[in-house]
C-alpha cells in the first residue's frame, strides 16, 4: 500500500520550514524533507526532524485533568469544561470582568489567536489578555511602526538576503535558533557580500562572519549610534534619499553626533577601528540590510535600540529600496500572526489598534456586537502575570509556559499559585499546567488544519495529516464549548476554515489585511504575503505598505482572476518600495540617545548575565525536552564563562556554579570558553528547576513595547561545593 504524505510546516520557529508528514503502517508518523518550499528547500534542523515524536500519546496529554485533593486526576470533557465555565462565571460575577485573565501563545495558529482574542472581549468582556509574543519581538514591532507606519518582521523575502551587499546581524544566532536559515547568509558571502555580527558572544553564527563586534550586553544602542556618527562624519549619508523619503533627520543626526567613536568604545568595549570597518563594509555596496533579533530587542530600551539601527538604514538610503532594508527575525512559530489578530492587549484583528474608534466599529460589526461593549487596552504580558492573584483572580492560559519562560520566573510561579483558579490548554503537561486546577489536552500542528504567518509575513497553511488521539480536541472546540456555557451560542465555530473566513473580514482594510487570502490560495501558491486585500474587479497591482495599490517592482507577482471576476491580489512580498505606511508616505527618523541598562553591575553583583537558546531545545522546552535525541544533544542548563573569570573564581569545567541576581539563584555546571566576554556569563533558558535562567532575569520593561529586559542583568557567580 502506497504511503500518503501531507505537505505541511514545522511547529517550531518562525521559518515555518516545509515538511511532509506520512503516517506509518506500524503506527506513528514519518517526517521527510519538502524541497518545494523556498525558505528551507528541504533542509530541516534536529527539532524539525524529530517533531513527530511529541505526537506520541506516551509524551503528551490525552485526557482532561482536574484538581482533587491537591492532585490532578483524569476527568471527562463535560466535567472539565463545566468546571472552567463555572469558575470563570463566578469570578466575573463577584469581582467583575477584568478579574478574568487570558494568556495566549505565539505558537497558536492565526485562527486560534483570533478566536482567543474574540473570546476574551466578547464572551468574558475582559481587557486582561496578552500573550508570550510580547517577550519575542514587541520592541522591533514598536520601532518599526514608529519609523515605517507598519510592523512586519521582514519587509522582504529571505531570498533577498543572499543578493544584497552587506548584512548587519544584531543579537541573532540563526546557526542555533533557526539553522536552515543560515544558508541565506552563507550564500550572501559566496555571492561576494559581507556579514557583520553584533553579539557579546562569538556564537556559531559569529564564527562565520566577516566582522564580529562583541559589545557589552545592553549597549547595542550605543553601537548603532556610534556607527551613525561615523556615517555622518565620513560623508556617507544619502542626502537625496533623506530629503525625499524621510522626516526627522536633523534631530536624529544631532542625537547621534553626541556619540563619538571613542565614547562609544568606552561604553561598549568595541574598538574604534572595528566600528570604522563596519561602516565601510555597510556603506560601500549599493544595497545592505540590518536584521535584529532578541539581543537588542529584549532590553528596557529595546524600542530605542531598534530605532537607532533603523536610523542607520534610513541615513544611508537602505530602506524601501530593492535588496535593502531593516528587518526583524521573529522567533516563535506564529509570533507575527499571533499579534496581528487580537491576542495582544492593545490590538484588534488586522493589526488594528484597540483604542481606534474606527477599528472598534469595524471589528464590532464583524462580531455582531456594539463597539462600546468592547473593553479597552489591558495589561501587557508581564504586567498581567504580575497582577495574578490580586487584580486578576482567574486565568485561562493557552499554549504558553510562563513558569519557565517569564522573567523573574519564581515570582511569576508564585503569582500563578496565588490564583483562585487556573485553567490551561496545552499539548503536554508543562510546568505551568502542573499548577492548574483544570488541564485540557488539545491538538497540535499535525493533527489540525490552520494558518500561521512566518517571519517573512508569508501566510501559510498547515494541513491536518493525522488524527489526534481519542479524547483530544482542538483549542477552537474548547472556546466553542466554553462560549456556549457562558451564554454565547454563536460566533465560535470549530471549523478552522470558517474561523479564517471571519478573520479575513475582520482584517479587511487593516494594516495586516488578509481579506484576499483563502485556504485554496495558500495551498496553490505555497503561501501568500500580506497585505493582500480582496480587490474589486478592474483593479490590480501590489499594495504598498499602507495598502495603496502600487506598481510591483521586483515582486515577480502575477495577478489572477477569481471565478467571480474579481481580481486576485498577488500579495506583497516587498513592502515600502514606493512609499512607507505613514500618512505622508515618508519614513520617520526617531532621535534616541544611549542610556544604561535598568540594572548595572556593582560591588555585590559585578557581572552581567545574558540569556539565549541552544540548537537542540526550543523556547521553554516543554515539547523538545520530551524528545530523547534532543535531550541527548542538550541535556540540561549550563553557565558559560570566560577562562579568566573561571580562574578568578577557581572554577573548572563542569563545576556546579551558582548564578545569583537580586531576584534569585540558579545552579548549573560551568562551561568554560573564550567565546564570551570576561565580564559576562551566559545561560540558556529552556529548563525549569534549579537551573532555570529566568529565575534571575529582570522584568524591567521598555516604556513603549513593555518588553522585559531578558538580555542583561547584574549577577554574581559562586562555585558550589560538591557534596
Amino acid at each position: 500500500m502506497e504511503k500518503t504524505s501531507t505537505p505541511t510546516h514545522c511547529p517550531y520557529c518562525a521559518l515555518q520550514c516545509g515538511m511532509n508528514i506520512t503516517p506509518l503502517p506500524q503506527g506513528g508518523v514519518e517526517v521527510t524533507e519538502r524541497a518545494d518550499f523556498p525558505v528551507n528547500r528541504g533542509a530541516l534542523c534536529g527539532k524539525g526532524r524529530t517533531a513527530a515524536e511529541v505526537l506520541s500519546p506516551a509524551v503528551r496529554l490525552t485526557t482532561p485533568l482536574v484538581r482533587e485533593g491537591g492532585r490532578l486526576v483524569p476527568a471527562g470533557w463535560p466535567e472539565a469544561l463545566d468546571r472552567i465555565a463555572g469558575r470563570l462565571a463566578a469570578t466575573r460575577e463577584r469581582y467583575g470582568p477584568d478579574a478574568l485573565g487570558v494568556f495566549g501563545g505565539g505558537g497558536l495558529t492565526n485562527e486560534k489567536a483570533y478566536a482567543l482574542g474574540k473570546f476574551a472581549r466578547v464572551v468574558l468582556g475582559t481587557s486582561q489578555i496578552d500573550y508570550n509574543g510580547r517577550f519575542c519581538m514587541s520592541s522591533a514591532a514598536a520601532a518599526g511602526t514608529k519609523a515605517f507606519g507598519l510592523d512586519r518582521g521582514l519587509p522582504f523575502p529571505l531570498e533577498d538576503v543572499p543578493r544584497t551587499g552587506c548584512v548587519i546581524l544584531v543579537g541573532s544566532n540563526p546557526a542555533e535558533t533557526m539553522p536552515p536559515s543560515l544558508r541565506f547568509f552563507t550564500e550572501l558571502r559566496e555571492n561576494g557580500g559581507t556579514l557583520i555580527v553584533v553579539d557579546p558572544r562569538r556564537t556559531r553564527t559569529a564564527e562565520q562572519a566577516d566582522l564580529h563586534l562583541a559589545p557589552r550586553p545592553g549597549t547595542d544602542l550605543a553601537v548603532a549610534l556610534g556607527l551613525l556618527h561615523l556615517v555622518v562624519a565620513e560623508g556617507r549619508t544619502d542626502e537625496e534619499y533623506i530629503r525625499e523619503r524621510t522626516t526627522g533627520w536633523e534631530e536624529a543626526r544631532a542625537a547621534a553626533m553626541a556619540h563619538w567613536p571613542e565614547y562609544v568604545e568606552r561604553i561598549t568595549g568595541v574598538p574604534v577601528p572595528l566600528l570604522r570597518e563596519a561602516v565601510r563594509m555597510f556603506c560601500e555596496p549599493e544595497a545592505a540590510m540590518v536584521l535584529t533579533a532578541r539581543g537588542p530587542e529584549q532590553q528596557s530600551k529595546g524600542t530605542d535600540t531598534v530605532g537607532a539601527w533603523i536610523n542607520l538604514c534610513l541615513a544611508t538610503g537602505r530602506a524601501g529600496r530593492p535588496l535593502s532594508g531593516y528587518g526583524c527575525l521573529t522567533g516563535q512559530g506564529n509570533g507575527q500572526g499571533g499579534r496581528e489578530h487580537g491576542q495582544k492587549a492593545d490590538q484588534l484583528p488586522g493589526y488594528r489598534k484597540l483604542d481606534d474608534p474606527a477599528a472598534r466599529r469595524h471589528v464590532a460589526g464583524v462580531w455582531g456586537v456594539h463597539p462600546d461593549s468592547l473593553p479597552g487596552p489591558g495589561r501587557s504580558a508581564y504586567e498581567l502575570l504580575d497582577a495574578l492573584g490580586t487584580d486578576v483572580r482567574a486565568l485561562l492560559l493557552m499554549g504558553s509556559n510562563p513558569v519557565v519562560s517569564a522573567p523573574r520566573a519564581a515570582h511569576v510561579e508564585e503569582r500563578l499559585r496565588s490564583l483562585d483558579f487556573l485553567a490551561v490548554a496545552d499539548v503536554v503537561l508543562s510546568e505551568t499546567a502542573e499548577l492548574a486546577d483544570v488541564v485540557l489536552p488539545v491538538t497540535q500542528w499535525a493533527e489540525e488544519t490552520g494558518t500561521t504567518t512566518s517571519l517573512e509575513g508569508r501566510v501559510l497553511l498547515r494541513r491536518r495529516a493525522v488524527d489526534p488521539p481519542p479524547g483530544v480536541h482542538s483549542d477552537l472546540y474548547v472556546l466553542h464549548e466554553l462560549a456556549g456555557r457562558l451564554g454565547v451560542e454563536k460566533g465560535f465555530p470549530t471549523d478552522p476554515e470558517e474561523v479564517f473566513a471571519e478573520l479575513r473580514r475582520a482584517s479587511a482594510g487593516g494594516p495586516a489585511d488578509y481579506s484576499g487570502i483563502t485556504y485554496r490560495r495558500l495551498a496553490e501558491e505555497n503561501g501568500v504575503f500580506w497585505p493582500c486585500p480582496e480587490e474589486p474587479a478592474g483593479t490590480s497591482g501590489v499594495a504598498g505598505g499602507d495598502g495603496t495599490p502600487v506598481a510591483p517592482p521586483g515582486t515577480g507577482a502575477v495577478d489572477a482572476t477569481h471565478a467571480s471576476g474579481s481580481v486576485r491580489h498577488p500579495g506583497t512580498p516587498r513592502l515600502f518600495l514606493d512609499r512607507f505606511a505613514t500618512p505622508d508616505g515618508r519614513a520617520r527618523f526617531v532621535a534616541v540617545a544611549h542610556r544604561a541598562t535598568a540594572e548595572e553591575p556593582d560591588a555585590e553583583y559585578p557581572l552581567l548575565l545574558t540569556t539565549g537558546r541552544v540548537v537542540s531545545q526550543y523556547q521553554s522546552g516543554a515539547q523538545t525536552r520530551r524528545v530523547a535525541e534532543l535531550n541527548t544533544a542538550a541535556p540540561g542548563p549550563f553557565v558559560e564563562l570566560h577562562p579568566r573569570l573561571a580562574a578568578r573564581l577557581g572554577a573548572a569545567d563542569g563545576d556546579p556554579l551558582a548564578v545569583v541576581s537580586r531576584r534569585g539563584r540558579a545552579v548549573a555546571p560551568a562551561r568554560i570558553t573564550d567565546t564570551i566576554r570576561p565580564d559576562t556569563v551566559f545561560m540558556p533558558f529552556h529548563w525549569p528547576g534549579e537551573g532555570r535562567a529566568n529565575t534571575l532575569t529582570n522584568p524591567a520593561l521598555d516604556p513603549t513595547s513593555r518588553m522585559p529586559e531578558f538580555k542583561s542583568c547584574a549577577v554574581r557567580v559562586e562555585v558550589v561545593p560538591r557534596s
Side-chain angles (χ1 to χ4, degrees):
M1 181 177 177
E2 186 178 350
K3 297 187 292 185
T4 302
S5 295
T6 301
T8 189
H9 295 273
C10 180
Y12 292 118
C13 83
L15 287 181
Q16 289 296 281
C17 292
M19 58 171 56
N20 291 310
I21 299 293
T22 308
L24 298 175
Q26 66 271 28
V29 301
E30 179 184 38
V31 173
T32 54
E33 297 80 3
R34 181 180 154 201
D36 69 319
F37 188 60
V39 171
N40 64 308
R41 300 182 207 156
L44 293 172
C45 73
K47 296 186 291 290
R49 284 189 298 97
T50 60
E53 293 194 25
V54 187
L55 297 171
S56 169
V59 300
R60 51 92 60 85
L61 292 165
T62 57
T63 186
L65 304 172
V66 298
R67 190 164 297 278
E68 296 287 356
R71 295 173 54 248
L72 287 171
V73 299
W77 274 93
E79 177 188 356
L81 292 165
D82 286 347
R83 189 173 297 200
I84 295 172
R87 294 298 298 272
L88 294 177
T91 301
R92 181 173 58 183
E93 177 68 24
R94 182 173 180 182
Y95 298 106
D98 275 354
L100 303 178
V102 176
F103 200 87
L108 300 180
T109 63
N110 289 317
E111 293 80 0
K112 294 191 284 189
Y114 171 84
L116 187 62
K118 180 181 178 182
F119 178 84
R121 295 177 175 110
V122 172
V123 178
L124 300 182
T126 182
S127 66
Q128 301 303 301
I129 174 172
D130 211 80
Y131 84 129
N132 63 14
R134 178 77 67 171
F135 300 156
C136 179
M137 56 175 290
S138 57
S139 292
T145 301
K146 280 185 178 182
F148 307 130
L150 182 71
D151 155 47
R152 194 179 84 183
L154 291 181
F156 41 72
L158 276 167
E159 67 189 43
D160 285 0
V161 170
R163 300 162 58 205
T164 192
C166 177
V167 172
I168 301 180
L169 195 58
V170 189
S172 177
N173 182 18
E176 298 202 60
T177 58
M178 43 182 66
S181 73
L182 192 64
R183 66 174 177 80
F184 292 105
F185 302 101
T186 302
E187 290 173 10
L188 164 73
R189 299 183 69 212
E190 291 172 349
N191 291 340
T194 55
L195 176 63
I196 302 170
V197 171
V198 182
D199 197 302
R201 304 164 63 225
R202 192 170 74 247
T203 62
R204 294 184 188 179
T205 305
E207 287 176 349
Q208 302 190 37
D210 298 281
L211 179 65
H212 175 213
L213 308 182
R216 184 173 175 268
T219 64
D220 310 85
L221 174 54
V223 174
L225 288 164
L227 296 180
L228 183 53
H229 177 110
L230 287 169
V231 164
V232 175
E234 296 177 5
R236 297 181 183 269
T237 55
D238 187 332
E239 295 297 327
E240 181 181 0
Y241 175 93
I242 291 170
R243 184 171 57 254
E244 294 182 355
R245 298 204 62 187
T246 72
T247 62
W249 170 232
E250 295 300 324
E251 296 83 357
R253 179 176 61 186
M257 296 314 288
H259 298 76
W260 59 95
E262 293 76 14
Y263 172 56
V264 169
E265 179 178 322
R266 287 201 302 272
I267 293 170
T268 67
V270 178
V272 171
L274 295 187
L275 295 172
R276 293 188 184 279
E277 178 64 5
V279 167
R280 183 194 67 77
M281 291 169 61
F282 184 68
C283 292
E284 283 189 353
E286 184 177 345
M289 299 173 178
V290 172
L291 304 178
T292 67
R294 306 301 79 75
E297 298 162 20
Q298 288 181 329
Q299 299 183 26
S300 59
K301 53 182 182 295
T303 302
D304 285 355
T305 301
V306 174
W309 288 103
I310 292 174
N311 286 349
L312 180 66
C313 291
L314 296 177
T316 53
R318 307 304 177 89
R321 283 180 167 170
L323 306 181
S324 287
Y326 163 77
C328 168
L329 298 177
T330 308
Q332 295 191 83
N334 198 32
Q336 181 73 49
R339 70 179 180 282
E340 292 169 2
H341 298 299
Q343 64 172 336
K344 197 174 175 187
D346 56 351
Q347 288 178 190
L348 288 169
Y351 223 139
R352 289 179 160 92
K353 299 297 290 182
L354 188 53
D355 55 6
D356 176 0
R360 294 170 67 87
R361 285 194 300 272
H362 174 83
V363 175
V366 174
W367 288 349
V369 299
H370 195 280
D372 291 347
S373 71
L374 298 179
R379 293 176 172 89
S380 70
Y382 180 77
E383 291 166 304
L384 173 57
L385 295 171
D386 190 42
L388 299 181
T390 53
D391 294 337
V392 177
R393 310 298 295 257
L395 182 70
L396 173 63
L397 185 147
M398 285 187 164
S400 185
N401 189 18
V403 165
V404 178
S405 63
R408 197 185 173 195
H411 172 73
V412 169
E413 180 177 347
E414 178 185 293
R415 293 291 85 217
L416 285 160
R417 291 181 183 276
S418 73
L419 282 164
D420 295 347
F421 181 76
L422 172 62
V424 172
D426 210 333
V427 173
V428 297
L429 189 65
S430 70
E431 288 73 22
T432 303
E434 289 176 355
L435 306 181
D437 297 285
V438 179
V439 182
L440 299 177
V442 291
T443 51
Q444 53 180 310
W445 60 292
E447 301 164 347
E448 60 187 11
T449 295
T451 63
T452 61
T453 305
S454 75
L455 79 170
E456 302 176 295
R458 189 195 303 251
V459 185
L460 302 165
L461 182 63
R462 279 194 199 156
R463 299 167 176 86
R464 176 169 172 159
V466 296
D467 293 332
V472 174
H473 291 294
S474 75
D475 299 88
L476 294 179
Y477 171 85
V478 170
L479 296 175
H480 170 84
E481 291 293 319
L482 290 177
R485 285 166 167 78
L486 291 165
V488 180
E489 300 291 340
K490 296 181 179 179
F492 290 88
T494 59
D495 176 12
E497 190 166 7
E498 188 177 345
V499 177
F500 189 76
E502 183 179 302
L503 181 157
R504 293 173 58 211
R505 296 195 304 274
S507 74
D513 190 334
Y514 284 30
S515 60
I517 303 174
T518 63
Y519 273 28
R520 179 177 177 180
R521 284 195 65 182
L522 295 177
E524 291 173 349
E525 300 174 35
N526 237 343
V528 177
F529 291 85
W530 71 260
C532 182
E534 185 172 43
E535 296 199 0
T539 64
S540 63
V542 178
D546 62 344
T548 304
V550 297
T555 64
V558 178
D559 286 349
T561 304
H562 292 298
S564 64
S566 65
V567 171
R568 174 182 288 186
H569 189 288
T572 315
R574 296 169 181 87
L575 295 168
F576 313 137
L577 294 181
D578 295 86
R579 69 193 312 273
F580 295 97
T582 56
D584 61 4
R586 294 170 175 263
R588 306 183 191 97
F589 283 96
V590 178
V592 294
H594 173 73
R595 60 183 186 273
T597 59
E599 187 176 76
E600 289 290 307
D602 56 20
E604 188 176 1
Y605 301 97
L607 301 168
L608 285 169
L609 168 72
T610 192
T611 64
R613 293 193 274 166
V614 297
V615 67
S616 294
Q617 300 289 351
Y618 180 72
Q619 301 298 76
S620 75
Q623 295 184 46
T624 52
R625 284 187 275 111
R626 288 168 166 79
V627 177
E629 178 182 326
L630 301 179
N631 279 336
T632 299
F638 56 86
V639 181
E640 189 177 278
L641 71 165
H642 192 275
R644 293 212 302 265
L645 175 58
R648 217 163 58 230
L649 295 169
D653 209 58
D655 282 351
L657 298 180
V659 183
V660 185
S661 78
R662 289 177 173 84
R663 288 153 297 281
R665 181 176 187 265
V667 178
R671 182 175 293 183
I672 300 171
T673 174
D674 64 1
T675 62
I676 192 169
R677 293 171 54 97
D679 58 1
T680 301
V681 294
F682 167 84
M683 290 187 71
F685 60 80
H686 308 290
W687 288 274
E690 70 170 5
R692 180 174 60 185
N694 277 320
T695 297
L696 309 166
T697 48
N698 190 353
L701 301 180
D702 180 285
T704 302
S705 68
R706 317 308 289 169
M707 167 77 85
E709 191 154 61
F710 287 98
K711 287 302 180 187
S712 178
C713 70
V715 298
R716 67 174 180 267
V717 179
E718 304 163 348
V719 177
V720 178
R722 292 182 184 269
S723 55

